[in-house]
Amino acid sequence: MTMSHPVITKAVIPAAGLGTRFLPATKATPKEMLPVVDKPAIQYVVEEAVSAGLTDVLMITGRNKRPLEDHFDRNYELESALAAKGDDDRLKKVQESSDLATMHYVRQGDPRGLGHAVLCAAPHVGREPFAVLLGDDLIDPRDPLLSKMVRIQAETGGSVIALMEVDPSQVHLYGCAAVAPADEDGVVRVTGLVEKPEPSEAPSNYAVIGRYVLNPAVFDILRETEPGRGGEIQLTDALQKLAEDETVGGPVHGVVFTGRRYDTGDRGDYLRAIVRLACEREDLGPEFRTWLRSYVTEEM
């Protein structure tokens, strides 16, 4: 199909959450800055956006989130010290984060839910389609997801969400999609969405995970969306309206993801993500895997 829709260049990353599940570590440190091996989680997310061609990144922040801005800014004192030592490897790593993308920041103010956070991006995004990436979901770069979603949106218009099949007992933890077949393998038509349904009421076991490519019509709907589950403005509710009436902002499609995903919003999954990524690193993996086998065998 001819790609006649506007090219997507903007990514929005909501990062205003308090990270209460990681207290006391997040009392003074944003949860997005917690390290996954040797990079903060948020850098993986920005790198994913850039790899999909989205180089204009807006972060929706809140109080005590200044370290996010500092991380993606230049640190001339540190760079000068590393350059004076001739430590080119570490200097390159420090400069990578500041050279990744054009970064912008806006404060959410009141924590009124994901839908409200996305709405805060409206003045920056304008009437262009855009991507939303949640910082709790890390997608392994060897299993591209966002680039496929961008392509589907360019071909079909409307909006595209990422889906993952989960055990039916887990659907109450996610937004859940009702789906119909589409013309491409791994892609479905989304006909409805429910936020965190009880398993008996879920329309499927397709869970919405933290990647979206959205038609700007979603802003108009969010402005009229009343608080829903949890007393918050839910992005799922706005997407439901788009799915039930394609004349508003085009169809809603889902890309079913079957690759490697790391949920850093959960303490257990956060630890598993670190172990998995460390095991797969060329510089750390061999020694770490040897130690891990020994620890599991001898200590457990």
Side-chain angles (χ1 to χ4, degrees), residues 150-178:
V150 168
R151 174 180 64 80
I152 297 297
Q153 198 283 333
E155 293 174 354
T156 64
S159 298
V160 183
I161 63 177
L163 301 174
M164 180 182 67
E165 289 193 78
V166 300
D167 187 276
S169 65
Q170 298 297 306
V171 294
H172 69 285
L173 301 174
Y174 300 88
C176 184

Side-chain angles (χ1 to χ4, degrees), residues 181-199:
D183 296 332
E184 180 177 337
D185 288 343
V187 179
V188 295
R189 193 72 166 262
V190 176
T191 60
L193 289 152
V194 183
E195 179 66 18
K196 297 182 178 178
E198 292 299 321

Side-chain angles (χ1 to χ4, degrees), residues 14-19 26 28-33 59-71 105 107:
L18 298 176
T26 50
T29 301
K31 65 175 182 176
E32 297 84 4
M33 289 300 298
M59 277 193 196
I60 312 300
T61 67
R63 291 176 57 83
N64 301 322
K65 297 287 184 168
R66 182 60 185 269
L68 292 171
E69 298 184 35
D70 291 341
H71 179 72
Y105 305 89
R107 284 197 175 189

Side-chain angles (χ1 to χ4, degrees), residues 121-255:
H124 181 79
V125 171
R127 302 308 297 179
E128 304 174 30
F130 64 104
V132 175
L133 298 85
L134 303 191
D136 288 347
D137 277 336
L138 302 189
I139 304 297
D140 195 297
R142 294 167 296 183
D143 301 312
L145 170 62
L146 187 60
S147 56
K148 182 175 182 179
M149 295 174 66
V150 168
R151 174 180 64 80
I152 297 297
Q153 198 283 333
E155 293 174 354
T156 64
S159 298
V160 183
I161 63 177
L163 301 174
M164 180 182 67
E165 289 193 78
V166 300
D167 187 276
S169 65
Q170 298 297 306
V171 294
H172 69 285
L173 301 174
Y174 300 88
C176 184
V179 302
D183 296 332
E184 180 177 337
D185 288 343
V187 179
V188 295
R189 193 72 166 262
V190 176
T191 60
L193 289 152
V194 183
E195 179 66 18
K196 297 182 178 178
E198 292 299 321
S200 61
E201 300 174 353
S204 74
N205 66 328
Y206 284 106
V208 181
I209 58 175
R211 297 295 181 270
Y212 310 80
V213 180
L214 302 176
N215 185 288
V218 74
F219 293 133
D220 298 326
I221 296 175
L222 285 169
R223 292 187 183 98
E224 303 299 325
T225 300
E226 296 293 329
R229 192 178 183 92
E232 298 181 335
I233 298 175
Q234 298 289 348
L235 180 59
T236 305
D237 292 342
L239 289 170
Q240 162 65 21
K241 293 183 180 180
L242 287 175
E244 66 186 12
D245 185 358
E246 293 184 6
T247 65
V248 176
V252 178
H253 285 85
V255 172

Side-chain angles (χ1 to χ4, degrees), residues 7-23:
V7 175
I8 298 173
T9 61
K10 294 178 179 177
V12 175
I13 303 177
L18 298 176
T20 53
R21 286 181 288 180
F22 281 84
L23 287 171

